[in-house]
Amino acid sequence: MAAGGLLLLSLTLLQSLVVNLSAEGPFPSAATIKLWVDKMQEDLVKLARTASGVDRLAEMYMRNQNLYTVEANNAARLVEVAARDIEKLLSNRSKALVRLAEAAERFQKEHQWQDEFATGDIIYYNAKDDLNDPGRNESETSSQRIKPVFEEDPIFGRQTSYQNAAVHIPTDIYEGSTIVLNELNWTGALDDVFKKNREEDQTLLWQVFGSATGLARYYPASPWVDKGRTQNKIDLYDVRRRPWYIQGAASPKDMLILVDASGSVSGLTLKLIRTSVIEMLETLSDDDFVNVVSFNENAQNVSCFNHLVQANVRNKKKLKEAVYKISAKGITDYKKGFSYAFEQLLNHSQSVYRANCNKIIMLFTDGGEERAQEIFNKYNKEKKVRVFTFSVGQHNYDKGPIQWMACQNKGYYYEIPSIGAIRINTQEYLDVLGRPMVLAGQQAKQVQWTNVYLDALELGLVISGTLPVFNLTKDQSGNQNQLILGVMGVDVSLEEIKKLTPRFTLCPNGYYFAIDPNGYVLLHPNLQPKHIGVGIPKINLRKRRPHVQNPKSQEPVTLDFLDAELENDIKVQIRKKMIDGESGDRTFRTLIKSQDERYIDKGSRTYTWTAVNGTDYSLALVLPPYSFYYIKATIDEALIQAKFTETLKLDRFDEFGYTFLAPRDYCTPVKITDNNTDFLLNFNEFIDRHTPKSPLCNDMVMRVLLDAGFTSDLVQEHWSKQDPEGITARFVATDGGITRVYPRSAGYYWTENPETYEDSFYKRSLDNENYVFTAPFFNRSSEEDGIMVSKAVKITVGGKLLKPAVVGVKINISNWLENFTRTTTKNECKGELCGCEKNSMHVDCVILDDGGFLLMSNRDEYIQEIGKFFGEIDPGLMRNLINMSLYAFNKSYDYQSVCDPEEEPRQGAGLRSAYVPTIADLLQLGWWASAAAWSILQQLFLGLTFPHFLGAVEVEEEDFSAIPSKQSCITVQTQYFFENEDKSFSGILDCINCSRLFHAEKISNTNLVFIISDSKQMCPYCDAKPLMQAEKPDEGPNPCEMVQQPRYRKGPDVCFDEDAAEDSRDCGGVSGLSPSIWSMVGIQLILLWLSSGSRHGQL
């Protein structure tokens, strides 16, 4: 008790000392600081209000109500209509898809298999012809190439031909093989169906058939690579690896990958196993669940995941990193491995999400004598789990036991003797999983709509409708074929969906969004994945770079709704209801990240949502309270139309200010361009030749003319009649799409987005009642002078709240500095501290905005850092401001960022594509029977069979010139904001052997705070570690922790994973070659020549 009383007395005395120092000492008193701040507030607000004319523009809207009406945004009705329109769009695409799938099954059933084809029997356009050698002999493949006449297509943004379809064949598949030639033969009949579909629906985009053999036929024809954009001739695309194919080829999967990590798999075999597992993970989509387990005499998870996890991008990345670290030691115990795998796979814990469909164990091993039959009898007596086995590497082990495992458990046995067999053999298991779908017939004929992903042919973000195509033939005994022929797909661009969810009556902070059953957004204003890649990179397997992506192999776009926005408990509930297909609405206050991602605002939002019937998608509309109504222009008089139009002419900029027109679809013939001058000229020319009421135009034209008229009146009646000191520019931006900057000269340095719906200052001003000061970017150009101040125009018409525009000014920094120091300095002072004198040795005075960015200071060195986050300038003081709750912060992750590529860890190094033995190896007879010798034979065989394949995997380091300079990554962002409504804050910043007094006072009616503190120069020993706000690369949330509390999701309603009629007798077989010593000598000499010569003759 005595100690507690003494501590309390000490704190009281300290507080009294601080107050006395503030009141009587050199540090200004709280009352003095309050007077300064009140004076600053009065001057700043008065200047901004009178110079901007915010009240005058509001008056103009009120007195001209005869030129517009106020219409309601009925959220429930809007979202229902939009959902219905999306349903109709997808339904129409589904009809085309069904026609294609039925036709494909019919054509294949009628097709007569041919072992040989005469030259010219097969005619098609190979989409990679421009990549192939001009002197290629077509007779080698018994086919004749078409050379379509291409025209630039504005819809696809590339050259297309509607007279032909195109064929893409993966690089590692020989296009002259009998299987491929037969496939080319019967799929050629699809071209007429493609064309007929387009005749019935001119809006159709890509129509694609992806074959289980790897062949892809798509319409309209278009070159696979624009050779004008890249010189790279290597193509690693395989349709069977695309998200839409994976999702359509089989029901969702619960996969446990079991890796033999015993000592016998060390060296070359272990590298092959690692690479094979990585490729296997790439065959999984977000509807699948997976884990990887390694075993020797014991079994263990390779990563921190102790159960199956969703096969999303982050979890697969974690598993890949762990797979690269697998080491080989100990002995093989299949019983331990399979027991562990079955226990984990069959664990039906309610706390763990699963696909609850195909259950699979994938075994990667070099072989062994053990069958572990009792384990299968114990766990898999009813064959509910399929077992696929992979014999990896070249060795002399008995492969019979692992083949038996696959055959007895409705799986398949594969061999991966070398690198060339990995991609093919790690994806063919989908054929086996497709058997129940084929046997289910029409029940499995359900159109599935995919997650959003980037189109391989540069259409942008798309979703695809998919439908499996079955082999309907029967064998000689009348048994139905169980093979899936492939997947049919049609694309829907997200731009098409956006057109069905118009936003230009919702105000900039209103928006639609849609999510899929995984909670991923397919429509959201924050869904903006960065396009990475400058062509198709050549892959050097000596230095495998698993994170380098290109447009044709980029990961699916999986942005969760809770990552697209700032998460809170209510949004978690809304997400669940949407996934469950419910309808509803909810109004609440939430944190909102600014468009430029530097600030956090608080605002009210109403969420209204409903399901999109016929799909698994759900659509929502978000509205702030000032968006419940909107202005609809009704300018009937032609004279007024002409008058308002005239203010948009370029030769009237001196009179009405530099004018920007938001690039929107006002009239069909007026094409959108990023060049404001050209867009204005085209717009004016069209309106002059026609009228704003032209049927080729929409309601947005009248609204933009209305705003043009009101803003031109503001310029003429207010701005032109005054020249306030300290103002470099005045501006107005409107909901209708007009931005005027006055005087004209200031418009040349205007860097804001002409699309007002994308302007950060505009959107922030709508959510704030105060005058919003926006810090310039610290790395701005020297021409961007001035501090932007903006405020929303607020009117109420018939009790209906509207915010139709934002007005503002740019304050000259030098003038503000002069007023700032004058306001905060005593006129008469004798020896004591005079206040915020310029470059004072005693105090630092700054003004920060609500994001913690520096706007004003009494120090010259700080003036040079205006726009920089204060935590980088005075870290210790900023941390104290956070600790005392002046500022709060929010940390969030951006999953759509791009970063510089990173080298893969050494243990992750991939396999060499061509191993060349040393002379010492050649002299050892034992070497010729080794795995290395057999690998060389395999590689030479691949090189002779597929002459372009070795070129695809063996390139020199300098050939990485075509690799993108960026890669997708996660970054962390921290935004700061005022935590509460308190106005005054005081404290002491304790350092090592000194301390600093400080006082902070918010400036009313603004988003600013004034801070005065003892000079940092007088106490340099405080925490100097910068507090960073800027975005920086990060590992993101720990996946190991996230999987413990996974977000809610919902799998497909149907599952096709078993059928009593399935014939599982076809389960793979053993095949091999036995090389002779003399053939290997010849092979070695050839490989030595290839390894030296190819380096100088790469394509």
Side-chain angles (χ1 to χ4, degrees):
M1 287 292 291
L6 182 60
L7 176 61
L8 180 60
L9 177 61
S10 300
L11 290 174
T12 304
L13 289 172
L14 178 61
Q15 183 179 15
S16 175
L17 178 63
V18 172
V19 172
N20 289 334
L21 282 173
S22 299
E24 301 173 8
F27 196 85
S29 67
T32 299
I33 295 171
K34 182 70 166 59
L35 288 174
W36 292 347
V37 169
D38 287 345
K39 176 60 175 170
M40 279 189 275
Q41 184 265 340
E42 180 183 346
D43 292 345
L44 288 172
V45 170
K46 181 179 179 181
L47 178 64
R49 176 184 289 122
T50 56
S52 67
V54 59
D55 298 328
R56 293 294 297 273
L57 186 56
E59 292 171 6
M60 292 173 187
Y61 275 98
M62 293 302 294
R63 73 169 180 250
N64 290 288
Q65 294 182 40
N66 60 308
L67 298 180
Y68 64 87
T69 60
V70 177
E71 305 294 331
N73 276 322
N74 186 320
R77 183 174 178 278
L78 286 173
V79 78
E80 286 175 8
V81 170
R84 220 166 27 240
D85 290 342
I86 295 173
E87 177 191 356
K88 183 178 179 181
L89 170 66
L90 301 187
S91 176
N92 288 339
R93 298 292 163 88
S94 296
K95 292 175 184 176
L97 194 58
V98 170
R99 282 194 294 268
L100 281 167
E102 291 176 347
E105 290 172 345
R106 185 172 67 254
F107 295 150
Q108 194 276 338
K109 186 177 182 179
E110 296 171 354
H111 170 68
Q112 296 296 317
W113 178 270
Q114 294 179 239
D115 292 324
E116 294 183 0
F117 291 87
T119 303
D121 280 357
I122 300 171
I123 303 174
Y124 72 105
Y125 165 60
N126 187 323
K128 296 194 289 185
D129 268 351
D130 291 337
L131 304 177
N132 297 332
D133 298 330
R136 185 187 182 96
N137 185 359
E138 294 177 358
S139 63
E140 292 179 3
T141 60
S142 303
S143 61
Q144 182 177 336
R145 302 291 177 79
I146 296 173
K147 296 182 178 178
V149 178
F150 293 111
E151 294 181 358
E152 197 63 33
D153 193 324
I155 297 175
F156 291 94
R158 60 189 293 122
Q159 290 188 330
T160 62
S161 170
Y162 288 94
Q163 302 306 311
N164 306 99
V167 172
H168 176 275
I169 300 172
T171 301
D172 53 351
I173 292 180
Y174 177 47
E175 61 186 281
S177 70
T178 305
I179 293 176
V180 171
L181 291 176
N182 276 276
E183 196 101 337
L184 287 168
N185 195 7
W186 74 261
T187 58
L190 289 172
D191 291 11
D192 290 335
V193 187
F194 288 146
K195 295 175 185 177
K196 185 176 180 182
N197 277 343
R198 187 174 184 276
E199 288 173 5
E200 295 188 11
D201 183 359
Q202 295 285 320
T203 67
L204 270 176
L205 299 174
W206 299 122
Q207 304 175 66
V208 189
F209 172 62
S211 167
T213 64
L215 177 148
R217 184 179 287 270
Y218 62 91
Y219 177 89
S222 184
W224 190 245
V225 171
D226 183 347
K227 60 182 179 181
R229 297 185 187 180
T230 177
Q231 309 254 324
N232 200 325
K233 295 186 176 183
I234 305 303
D235 174 30
L236 301 178
Y237 177 90
D238 190 319
V239 69
R240 295 167 296 183
R241 298 266 166 170
R242 295 299 287 165
W244 64 271
Y245 185 95
I246 293 171
Q247 196 163 333
S251 293
K253 303 171 280 294
D254 285 322
M255 179 184 291
L256 194 293
I257 300 176
L258 190 58
V259 178
D260 183 353
S262 62
S264 63
V265 301
S266 61
L268 197 65
T269 301
L270 180 57
K271 291 181 179 181
L272 279 172
I273 287 178
R274 286 175 180 161
T275 307
S276 300
V277 173
I278 299 302
E279 290 295 325
M280 179 62 71
L281 288 170
E282 288 304 309
T283 69
L284 302 176
S285 72
D286 289 81
D287 287 333
D288 303 319
F289 284 73
V290 66
N291 199 8
V292 181
V293 169
S294 65
F295 73 98
N296 36 44
E297 61 268 23
N298 295 300
Q300 54 277 319
N301 301 303
V302 300
S303 71
C304 58
F305 302 144
N306 56 19
H307 55 75
L308 297 187
V309 296
Q310 187 179 16
N312 57 37
V313 174
R314 293 192 290 278
N315 289 342
K316 287 194 292 186
K317 181 175 182 287
K318 189 73 176 177
L319 287 171
K320 290 176 190 177
E321 292 170 351
V323 167
Y324 281 125
K325 297 176 182 177
I326 294 177
S327 59
K329 59 184 177 181
I331 60 174
T332 305
D333 189 337
Y334 285 130
K335 294 178 182 178
K336 284 283 180 64
F338 276 107
S339 293
Y340 194 91
F342 276 113
E343 289 285 352
Q344 190 170 134
L345 191 62
L346 299 176
N347 176 16
H348 297 291
S349 171
Q350 296 297 317
S351 62
V352 178
Y353 283 118
R354 294 291 182 86
N356 293 319
C357 197
N358 286 293
K359 289 181 172 54
I360 308 166
I361 293 177
M362 297 286 186
L363 171 66
F364 289 89
T365 181
D366 59 349
E369 304 297 328
E370 188 180 14
R371 291 191 174 189
Q373 187 167 353
E374 60 269 39
I375 303 300
F376 295 113
N377 291 337
K378 176 181 178 181
Y379 290 100
N380 204 34
K381 187 174 293 185
E382 297 180 1
K383 307 293 192 293
K384 296 291 185 181
V385 177
R386 295 182 189 269
V387 177
F388 294 83
T389 56
F390 297 82
S391 174
V392 184
Q394 299 87 27
H395 44 73
N396 296 320
Y397 299 129
D398 182 8
K399 300 171 183 176
I402 62 172
Q403 183 183 7
W404 176 90
M405 295 176 186
C407 294
Q408 290 299 309
N409 293 277
K410 298 172 68 174
Y412 209 91
Y413 165 77
Y414 301 94
E415 293 183 6
I416 301 179
S418 66
I419 190 74
I422 291 178
R423 279 173 63 87
I424 294 175
N425 286 330
T426 54
Q427 64 194 16
E428 289 195 343
Y429 76 93
L430 291 173
D431 292 343
V432 177
L433 299 189
R435 291 172 182 170
M437 292 178 64
V438 177
L439 294 171
Q442 288 302 313
Q443 284 183 307
K445 287 290 186 177
Q446 299 183 22
V447 175
Q448 293 187 68
W449 289 97
T450 67
N451 303 329
V452 64
Y453 66 96
L454 278 169
D455 175 55
L457 288 175
E458 300 166 345
L459 192 59
L461 292 175
V462 298
I463 57 173
S464 292
T466 65
L467 204 58
V469 179
F470 301 151
N471 189 330
L472 301 183
T473 61
K474 297 182 179 180
D475 61 21
Q476 295 178 346
S477 303
N479 298 318
Q480 180 183 337
N481 194 301
Q482 298 181 147
L483 288 178
I484 183 172
L485 294 174
V487 178
M488 199 68 72
V490 295
D491 286 347
V492 175
S493 166
L494 290 199
E495 291 302 318
E496 294 180 278
I497 296 179
K498 287 180 181 179
K499 290 178 181 178
L500 303 178
T501 53
R503 63 173 184 159
F504 291 116
T505 65
L506 307 178
C507 98
N509 287 324
Y511 58 92
Y512 287 93
F513 73 88
I515 66 173
D516 66 18
N518 282 306
Y520 300 146
V521 295
L522 60 125
L523 182 70
H524 196 286
N526 293 335
L527 178 63
Q528 299 174 344
K530 282 49 169 201
H531 184 80
I532 57 177
V534 292
I536 306 173
K538 303 176 184 180
I539 301 301
N540 183 347
L541 290 177
R542 294 177 179 177
K543 290 189 177 181
R544 185 175 176 84
R545 301 186 181 188
H547 306 306
V548 174
Q549 302 178 35
N550 62 72
K552 292 177 168 44
S553 65
Q554 201 159 334
E555 292 278 9
V557 181
T558 53
L559 179 65
D560 196 284
F561 165 61
L562 298 178
D563 296 322
E565 302 190 1
L566 298 182
E567 180 179 348
N568 62 32
D569 291 342
I570 297 176
K571 291 180 182 179
V572 171
Q573 297 170 18
I574 291 173
R575 179 181 177 276
K576 183 179 185 301
K577 291 177 182 295
M578 292 180 68
I579 291 174
D580 288 338
E582 299 178 15
S583 298
D585 62 83
R586 187 81 180 267
T587 301
F588 56 96
R589 286 187 64 79
T590 182
L591 297 180
I592 302 140
K593 190 187 299 184
S594 66
Q595 180 84 15
D596 62 9
E597 300 186 332
R598 294 193 295 167
Y599 298 96
I600 293 284
D601 291 303
K602 301 173 184 176
S604 176
R605 295 291 187 267
T606 297
Y607 285 64
T608 307
W609 62 90
T610 192
V612 180
N613 294 330
T615 74
D616 291 327
Y617 301 139
S618 185
L619 181 71
L621 173 61
V622 181
L623 293 176
Y626 47 82
S627 293
F628 294 159
Y629 301 93
Y630 68 96
I631 287 176
K632 181 177 181 180
T634 56
I635 310 173
D636 296 325
E637 294 185 26
L639 287 176
I640 297 179
Q641 295 174 11
K643 175 188 173 183
F644 289 175
T645 302
E646 187 66 21
T647 69
L648 296 176
K649 299 296 177 63
L650 274 67
D651 58 5
R652 306 294 296 273
F653 279 8
D654 285 330
E655 183 178 354
F656 299 112
Y658 201 108
T659 304
F660 296 88
L661 180 63
R664 302 176 186 174
D665 287 315
Y666 302 103
C667 305
T668 305
V670 182
K671 301 303 178 186
I672 293 177
T673 173
D674 291 332
N675 187 306
N676 180 69
T677 301
D678 290 345
F679 190 54
L680 259 177
L681 284 171
N682 295 338
F683 178 85
N684 288 329
E685 182 183 352
F686 179 84
I687 297 299
D688 288 344
R689 286 190 288 107
H690 300 80
T691 69
K693 291 189 174 182
S694 167
L696 298 174
C697 300
N698 53 46
D699 290 344
M700 289 192 295
V701 172
M702 284 300 184
R703 177 62 199 276
V704 80
L705 292 182
L706 180 78
D707 287 353
F710 289 173
T711 56
S712 64
D713 288 346
L714 176 67
V715 176
Q716 284 192 316
E717 297 178 16
H718 188 73
W719 290 353
S720 64
K721 298 184 184 307
Q722 58 175 224
D723 186 18
E725 184 181 359
I727 298 297
T728 62
R730 284 165 283 181
F731 59 88
V732 58
T734 73
D735 195 66
I738 292 291
T739 301
R740 292 194 193 272
V741 183
Y742 188 84
R744 173 179 184 158
S745 58
Y748 295 123
Y749 306 111
W750 185 257
T751 58
E752 303 300 322
N753 197 325
E755 176 48 80
T756 55
Y757 272 52
E758 304 296 335
D759 268 329
S760 186
F761 82 88
Y762 192 108
K763 299 171 81 168
R764 290 203 71 208
S765 299
L766 295 176
D767 273 327
N768 287 276
E769 296 299 322
N770 298 326
Y771 286 85
V772 177
F773 287 68
T774 301
F777 285 94
F778 176 63
N779 57 354
R780 65 193 183 282
S781 65
S782 58
E783 292 84 4
E784 297 176 49
D785 189 27
I787 303 295
M788 177 182 285
V789 188
S790 58
K791 184 169 175 56
V793 175
K794 181 178 178 181
I795 61 175
T796 303
V797 180
K800 301 168 183 175
L801 174 64
L802 296 163
K803 292 186 178 182
V806 169
V807 296
V809 299
K810 279 199 170 183
I811 300 177
N812 180 276
I813 293 177
S814 299
N815 283 78
W816 189 10
L817 174 59
E818 184 179 334
N819 292 330
F820 172 71
T821 53
R822 185 189 310 123
T823 301
T824 57
T825 304
K826 295 179 182 179
N827 294 327
E828 297 180 3
C829 58
K830 298 177 182 179
E832 75 272 19
L833 180 66
C834 293
C836 298
E837 292 179 299
K838 191 172 182 181
N839 297 317
S840 169
M841 292 293 293
H842 303 287
V843 293
D844 295 339
C845 301
V846 296
I847 291 180
L848 309 181
D849 67 12
D850 57 331
F853 295 97
L854 178 67
L855 291 182
M856 185 50 59
S857 173
N858 67 328
R859 312 201 66 81
D860 285 340
E861 64 268 30
Y862 284 7
I863 292 295
Q864 304 303 316
E865 297 188 306
I866 284 178
K868 181 181 280 190
F869 181 62
F870 193 59
E872 299 180 55
I873 299 171
D874 196 337
L877 180 53
M878 187 65 192
R879 287 190 173 92
N880 267 262
L881 297 176
I882 296 168
N883 292 338
M884 67 192 317
S885 300
L886 169 56
Y887 283 101
F889 66 90
N890 182 84
K891 185 170 77 170
S892 60
Y893 296 97
D894 183 356
Y895 298 96
Q896 304 175 92
S897 294
V898 292
C899 306
D900 294 325
E902 296 179 359
E903 287 288 347
E904 180 190 332
R906 289 183 64 85
Q907 62 263 33
L911 181 66
R912 291 176 180 266
S913 60
Y915 168 70
V916 180
T918 65
I919 297 299
D921 289 330
L922 294 171
L923 296 177
Q924 295 181 34
L925 184 62
W927 179 85
W928 294 101
S930 70
W934 181 230
S935 178
I936 285 180
L937 180 59
Q938 292 279 337
Q939 291 157 10
L940 181 64
F941 177 73
L942 282 168
L944 296 176
T945 309
F946 311 124
H948 293 285
F949 182 73
L950 285 178
V953 297
E954 176 66 38
V955 295
E956 291 303 304
E957 180 66 21
E958 58 266 22
D959 284 334
F960 269 93
S961 58
I963 282 185
S965 59
K966 300 291 183 180
Q967 68 176 31
S968 62
C969 66
I970 301 174
T971 54
V972 64
Q973 305 171 320
T974 306
Q975 291 87 15
Y976 294 80
F977 56 97
F978 290 154
E979 183 167 350
N980 52 52
E981 301 300 321
D982 294 345
K983 295 289 186 181
S984 301
F985 302 83
S986 296
I988 300 177
L989 175 57
D990 288 318
C991 302
I992 296 175
N993 56 2
C994 61
S995 61
R996 296 168 61 192
L997 288 174
F998 67 88
H999 184 95
E1001 190 80 26
K1002 289 181 182 175
I1003 303 177
S1004 300
N1005 298 315
T1006 73
N1007 64 323
L1008 304 178
V1009 60
F1010 168 76
I1011 303 167
I1012 182 170
S1013 67
D1014 285 330
S1015 174
K1016 187 172 72 168
Q1017 295 177 350
M1018 302 297 291
C1019 187
Y1021 304 107
C1022 287
D1023 184 4
K1025 182 180 178 182
L1027 180 64
M1028 306 299 294
Q1029 182 273 341
E1031 183 178 77
K1032 59 183 179 180
D1034 193 89
E1035 291 295 318
N1038 188 344
C1040 306
E1041 297 174 359
M1042 291 186 69
V1043 297
Q1044 300 305 318
Q1045 293 183 319
R1047 288 170 172 167
Y1048 181 75
R1049 66 176 297 276
K1050 190 176 179 182
D1053 294 329
V1054 293
C1055 170
F1056 301 98
D1057 60 350
E1058 61 178 343
D1059 192 293
E1062 178 182 342
D1063 183 359
S1064 58
R1065 288 175 296 176
D1066 179 12
C1067 55
V1070 181
S1071 62
L1073 295 174
S1074 299
S1076 70
I1077 186 170
W1078 298 114
S1079 65
M1080 291 306 298
V1081 172
I1083 289 169
Q1084 173 62 15
L1085 294 175
I1086 294 172
L1087 278 176
L1088 287 170
W1089 172 77
L1090 283 174
S1091 64
S1092 59
S1094 63
R1095 300 185 181 200
H1096 304 286
Q1098 288 291 333
L1099 291 178

